[in-house]
Amino acid sequence: MAEAASSPYLVLARKYRPRDFSTLVGQDAMVQTLGNAFAQNRIHHAFILTGVRGVGKTTTARILARAFNYEDESGPHPTLDLSQEGTHCRAIIEGRHVDVVEMDAASNTGIGDIREIIDSVKYGPVSAPYKVYVIDEVHMLSTAAFNGLLKTLEEPPPYVKFIFATTEIRKVPITILSRCQRFDLRRIPAEIMSNYLETILAQEGIGFEPDALAMIVRAGEGSARDSLSLLDQAIAHGNGTVSASTVKAMLGLGDRAKVIDLFEDVMAGRVAEALTALRELYDLGADPQTLLADLSEFTHLVTRIKVVPAAADDAALTPDERSRGRDLANRLPMRALTRAWQILFKGNEETARAGNGLQAAEMTLIRLAYAADLPSPDEVISKLTQQGNLPSSPAQPAIAPRPSGGGGPTALRQVAQSGPAMVASPVPPASEPQPVAKPALAQIGSYKDLIALATAKRDVLVKLALESQMRPISFEEGRIEVALSEGTDPGIIATLSARLQAWTGARWLVMVSTRPPEGLTIRQEAEQKQQAATAAAHDDPLVKAILETFPGAKLVNVTVREEAAIVPDLPPPPPEEDDE
C-alpha cells in the first residue's frame, strides 16, 4: 500500500498508450497498408505521418521503430507482430534506445540541428538492425534545415529509416513529401472512441454513464489524447465516477435536454419561456457563447436529420437528441432551419465580442424567435393578393405560394404539367424506302422574324448587328433597307446578305440608307420598355405593400408577361420617282 502511494500517478493517455498496432484504434487503413508492405518486404526508408492532434502520430512512429528493429531468438526480422517483446522493444518503448533518435523540430529548427543528424547518419547502428530518426512537428524546421536534409533523405544508407510527424502537412515542402511515404491518420469515429473509453474504464474499475461518455467523445473531436485527458479530469471531478452531471459542470455545458427545450421555445416564438430557460442555464454555470454554440450544433443536427434521416443513428447522440431531433426534423421547414443557423452563427460572433455575453445571447434569441415564423416572400405575395383592400393587376395571374419542398422537384412537376404533349409519330415499316428529308427553308415576313431567325440559327454576329447596330428603314420580301449606327463595320451588310441567301434559298438585296439614322435601335427600344415597366412596377400597390412588408427589399427585375411585338411590321418602301 505504501509502495502504491509513493509511486507517481501516470495519466491515462500515457498509461494506455498503444505499444503495438493491435491496440492502435481508428487507423485500420494505415495498419493494413503497413502490414502488406512488411509482408512483401517492401519497406520504405522514409515515412511522414499527418493528422490532427492526438490521433497517434508519435505513437505510430515508436511502434514502427519497434517493428524495424524487432529481434528475437531467431535473429533480427522486421515484423508488425509485436505481441511478444523483442530484444530492443523495452528500450524503445521507454525512449532510451541509442539507435532510435527522437527530435522535436519545434525546439530544434535550425540547420545546425539537421547537420548533426547528417553527420551521425554516416555511422551504422550500435546494437539494433536499423538506426531510426523520429522528427516530430517536422513542419517547424527552417527552409535551410529542409534543404540540408534533402540529399540524405533521398539516398540514405541502407541501415537508416526516417519517420516524420506533423499536424501541418501543407507547410512541409513538396521536395520533402516526394521523398516520403505519406500516411494520413484520420479522426477516430465516435463509436470506436466510446468503446475505447468504456474498455479503459472497465480496466480501471470506474463506473460511468453513457451520456457522460457521449459528451466527452463530442468534446474530444476525434482525438484519443484529448478524450483521455477529459476522461482523466472527469474521474477526478466526479470523485471516482463519471456521471453526466459532473461532466456538464466540468465542460461548462448546459443540459442537452434543456438545450433542446430552449430550441423548441425559440422556434415556437415563446420568447418569455426562452429567456427564462437561458437565465436558468446561465445561473447553473453555462457560458452564453457555449449555449449558442450548442443551439447551432443542434440546429445542424436537425437539418442533417431532415436531409439524411440515417444521421439520427449516430452513436455519439444522446437519446433525447436522437428522438426529439427526428421529431423536429419532421415538423420544421428547411427555410426556418437555415434561417436559424444564420442568426445563431452571427449571434455567436456578436456574443464573443460583446462586453456582456448574456445580453448579446438574449438579443440573439429574441431575434431568432421573431424571425423563426416569418413567411416566405411567395406566401406574403399570396396573402396580400387575397386581401380585398389590395388590388391585383388584371393582366397578371395571382401568384400561388411555393410548396415547402425543394424547388427542383416543383419545377420539374410544373414543366411536366405545362409542357406540350409529345405524340409519337407512326414509324413506317423498315422494308419501305424512306425519302431523304430536305432541310426546310425559312420564311421571313418582317424585321422581327429576321431577328428571331438569327437567334434560332445561333448566329451571334448577325443577331447583335440587327439589334444594336442597325435601324430598320423599310422591309419587303427580298429587299431590306437599314441605317447603320456610327462606328459599325460596313462589311456586316455583305455578311447579312449571304446569311439570308443561305437561310431562305433566295437572293436578298440589303441596302444602306443614305439618310442619317433616326430613332432607336431594337436593343435601345427594349431597354426603354424595361425602364418604363420598372417605373410602373414601383407604382403598383401590391409591389408597394411588399416593399413595406420587407424593409430593405429592392425591385431587381421586372418581366412583362405579354409583350407586344419587338418591332412592328414596317411599311414597304415608297416607289422610286422617275428621273425627268
Side-chain angles (χ1 to χ4, degrees):
M1 188 71 178
E3 183 180 354
S6 60
S7 60
Y9 175 71
L10 195 62
V11 297
L12 295 179
R14 293 185 59 189
K15 182 177 181 180
Y16 292 96
R17 190 170 199 164
R19 298 183 178 181
D20 54 50
F21 285 117
S22 64
T23 55
L24 186 67
V25 295
Q27 310 300 337
D28 297 337
M30 181 192 68
V31 174
Q32 181 180 359
T33 303
L34 290 174
N36 295 337
F38 273 73
Q40 301 172 19
N41 196 24
R42 302 176 66 88
I43 305 173
H44 206 274
H45 64 268
F47 300 84
I48 186 164
L49 310 173
T50 180
V52 298
R53 67 200 183 281
V55 292
K57 298 184 294 297
T58 306
T59 298
T60 301
R62 293 179 179 176
I63 296 175
L64 279 175
R66 283 186 61 193
F68 293 148
N69 291 320
Y70 189 80
E71 183 177 355
D72 54 10
E73 295 81 3
S74 61
H77 55 93
T79 179
L80 292 188
D81 184 10
L82 304 175
S83 55
Q84 298 293 330
E85 284 193 6
T87 305
H88 309 283
C89 288
R90 177 52 50 184
I92 295 175
I93 292 172
E94 296 176 355
R96 53 183 176 82
H97 199 286
V98 67
D99 291 325
V100 178
V101 181
E102 289 193 28
M103 187 185 86
D104 181 20
S107 55
N108 300 274
T109 62
I111 182 62
D113 303 298
I114 296 300
R115 190 176 290 115
E116 293 181 6
I117 294 178
I118 296 173
D119 293 340
S120 64
V121 162
K122 303 174 183 177
Y123 307 100
V126 176
S127 59
Y130 292 96
K131 180 177 284 189
V132 182
Y133 293 93
V134 179
I135 303 180
D136 202 2
E137 302 298 336
V138 69
H139 66 275
M140 301 291 287
L141 290 177
S142 65
T143 303
F146 276 126
N147 293 335
L149 190 60
L150 288 178
K151 186 61 178 178
T152 303
L153 184 62
E154 183 175 6
E155 298 177 355
Y159 49 81
V160 171
K161 301 289 184 184
F162 287 98
I163 307 175
F164 302 141
T166 177
T167 56
E168 301 285 348
I169 190 66
R170 295 183 178 180
K171 294 183 180 180
V172 180
I174 189 64
T175 51
I176 296 292
L177 296 177
S178 64
R179 290 166 168 81
C180 301
Q181 200 170 75
R182 171 177 168 176
F183 290 98
D184 291 80
L185 278 67
R186 53 178 292 187
R187 293 180 186 268
I188 302 174
E191 185 175 358
I192 296 177
M193 183 66 72
S194 297
N195 296 335
Y196 181 56
L197 297 183
E198 289 178 10
T199 303
I200 291 177
L201 289 174
Q203 295 180 16
E204 293 287 322
I206 295 174
F208 64 92
E209 295 179 1
D211 288 352
L213 284 190
M215 296 178 194
I216 292 175
V217 169
R218 186 183 295 110
E221 298 180 344
S223 168
R225 184 174 61 237
D226 288 10
S227 299
L228 288 174
S229 299
L230 290 173
L231 182 62
D232 226 339
Q233 184 180 355
I235 294 171
H237 192 79
N239 196 19
T241 59
V242 181
S243 62
S245 58
T246 57
V247 172
K248 290 172 190 173
M250 179 187 76
L251 298 177
L253 300 175
D255 191 336
R256 299 301 294 183
K258 292 184 178 180
V259 170
I260 300 175
D261 292 339
L262 176 60
F263 180 82
E264 288 185 341
D265 289 337
V266 172
M267 298 306 290
R270 298 189 291 266
V271 182
E273 291 85 344
L275 295 182
T276 302
L278 176 64
R279 176 69 66 170
E280 290 176 355
L281 291 171
Y282 178 76
D283 293 339
L284 291 175
D287 180 67
Q289 189 176 359
T290 304
L291 287 174
L292 291 184
D294 289 344
L295 287 173
S296 301
E297 182 181 347
F298 188 71
T299 303
H300 171 264
L301 173 64
V302 175
T303 308
R304 194 161 185 265
I305 293 175
K306 190 174 186 67
V307 179
V308 185
D313 300 328
D314 191 347
L317 300 179
T318 63
D320 277 341
E321 291 174 325
R322 190 174 294 110
S323 60
R324 299 175 70 179
R326 279 198 184 102
D327 179 59
L328 288 169
N330 293 329
R331 290 161 49 195
L332 292 173
M334 182 62 70
R335 58 178 174 81
L337 291 171
T338 54
R339 187 186 298 131
W341 170 265
Q342 293 173 349
I343 294 176
L344 288 170
F345 186 81
K346 184 173 180 59
N348 201 347
E349 296 178 348
E350 295 174 354
T351 305
R353 297 194 304 265
N356 190 320
L358 179 61
Q359 293 178 356
E362 288 180 344
M363 294 304 297
T364 300
L365 294 187
I366 292 172
R367 187 190 315 155
L368 178 57
Y370 277 93
D373 200 28
L374 281 179
S376 66
D378 287 351
E379 292 172 348
V380 173
I381 293 173
S382 177
K383 186 175 180 181
L384 292 174
T385 305
Q386 293 171 2
Q387 293 177 356
N389 55 348
L390 284 178
S392 60
S393 177
Q396 299 179 359
I399 302 175
R402 181 180 300 171
S404 59
T410 304
L412 290 176
R413 287 196 297 271
Q414 292 174 352
V415 171
Q417 294 171 3
S418 62
M422 302 299 293
V423 180
S425 59
V427 180
S431 58
E432 298 181 6
Q434 299 298 319
V436 179
K438 296 181 179 180
L441 297 177
Q443 299 293 328
I444 303 175
S446 64
Y447 196 82
K448 175 185 65 176
D449 294 343
L450 178 56
I451 295 177
L453 180 59
T455 304
K457 296 294 185 179
R458 298 185 179 181
D459 196 321
V460 180
L461 178 63
V462 173
K463 180 177 181 295
L464 178 63
L466 292 172
E467 291 181 343
S468 305
Q469 300 173 358
M470 297 182 184
R471 293 173 176 83
I473 302 300
S474 63
F475 188 97
E476 63 179 359
E477 187 175 356
R479 185 176 183 275
I480 306 175
E481 184 178 0
V482 296
L484 296 181
S485 300
E486 185 178 356
T488 303
D489 182 10
I492 191 62
I493 300 299
T495 303
L496 176 59
S497 180
R499 295 288 196 278
L500 284 170
Q501 183 174 358
W503 295 340
T504 64
R507 287 183 172 275
W508 282 74
L509 178 62
V510 182
M511 303 175 59
V512 179
S513 176
T514 58
R515 289 176 290 180
E518 298 178 357
L520 303 175
T521 63
I522 301 301
R523 176 158 298 181
Q524 290 171 345
E525 289 181 1
E527 292 174 354
Q528 193 177 62
K529 290 181 180 180
Q530 181 70 20
Q531 293 173 1
T534 303
H538 275 287
D539 296 333
D540 188 273
L542 180 58
V543 176
K544 288 182 178 180
I546 295 173
L547 295 178
E548 292 174 359
T549 305
F550 294 95
K554 297 180 180 179
L555 188 61
V556 178
N557 187 27
V558 176
T559 301
V560 181
R561 296 182 181 274
E562 296 180 359
E563 294 183 349
I566 298 178
V567 180
D569 292 342
L570 298 172
E576 297 182 0
E577 298 180 357
D578 296 334
D579 294 335
E580 293 183 0

